[in-house]
């Protein structure tokens, strides 16, 4: 089954991302950003999920992880929840607008 998946997805015009690949992680982040912008996730839930899955390790999501930390310290910080929501929304728009990155090259039979 695993050998057929990349070819089957390609036939459907979809991109195969190997498990735990940087391209796969980035595609998942961008998909979550689109879900947040569509109203399926709140900005807080979006940052929580990103921070939970990627911590501060993925450069693409570092800003979101920092914003998640700011939600956690709202009572001590100088920003309101609405201000952080606005920053998260702007970051989600940036991520969602990023052009599609093709899958990592793989050998194809001749």
């Amino acid at each position: 089954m695993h050998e057929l998946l990349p070819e089957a997805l390609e036939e459907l015009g979809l991109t195969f991302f190997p498990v735990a690949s940087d391209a796969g992680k980035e595609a998942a982040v961008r998909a979550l950003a689109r879900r947040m912008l569509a109203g399926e996730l709140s900005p807080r839930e979006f940052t929580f999920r990103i921070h939970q899955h990627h911590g501060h390790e993925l450069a693409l999501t570092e800003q979101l992880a920092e914003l998640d930390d700011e939600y956690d310290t709202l009572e001590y910080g100088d920003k309101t929840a609405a201000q952080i929501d606005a920053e998260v929304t702007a970051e989600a728009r940036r991520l969602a607008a990023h052009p599609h990155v093709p899958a990592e090259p793989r050998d194809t039979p001749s």
Side-chain angles (χ1 to χ4, degrees):
M1 179 69 159
H2 292 281
E3 298 84 31
L4 299 175
L5 186 58
E7 290 179 35
L9 290 173
E10 189 172 315
E11 285 180 21
L12 295 170
L14 302 172
T15 303
F16 173 75
F17 295 105
V19 174
S21 69
D22 286 345
K25 290 176 186 176
E26 291 181 8
V29 167
R30 293 179 199 293
L32 273 178
R34 288 188 292 276
R35 287 186 61 201
M36 193 221 83
L37 293 170
E40 295 176 31
L41 299 170
S42 70
R44 177 66 174 115
E45 178 67 15
F46 174 54
T47 61
F48 176 78
R49 286 186 182 192
I50 294 297
H51 199 181
Q52 183 178 34
H53 290 289
H54 304 291
H56 292 266
E57 302 298 317
L58 190 61
L60 183 71
T61 61
E62 176 60 25
Q63 178 66 26
L64 292 170
E66 289 177 8
L67 290 167
D68 184 55
D69 290 338
E70 288 189 35
Y71 278 119
D72 292 338
T73 60
L74 267 173
E75 62 192 67
Y76 307 107
D78 58 350
K79 291 183 184 175
T80 66
Q83 289 171 318
I84 299 171
D85 287 352
E87 288 183 47
V88 171
T89 301
E91 186 66 8
R93 284 189 183 117
R94 183 188 71 78
L95 291 170
H98 190 277
H100 173 72
V101 177
E104 294 153 356
R106 63 176 200 270
D107 294 333
T108 55
S110 310

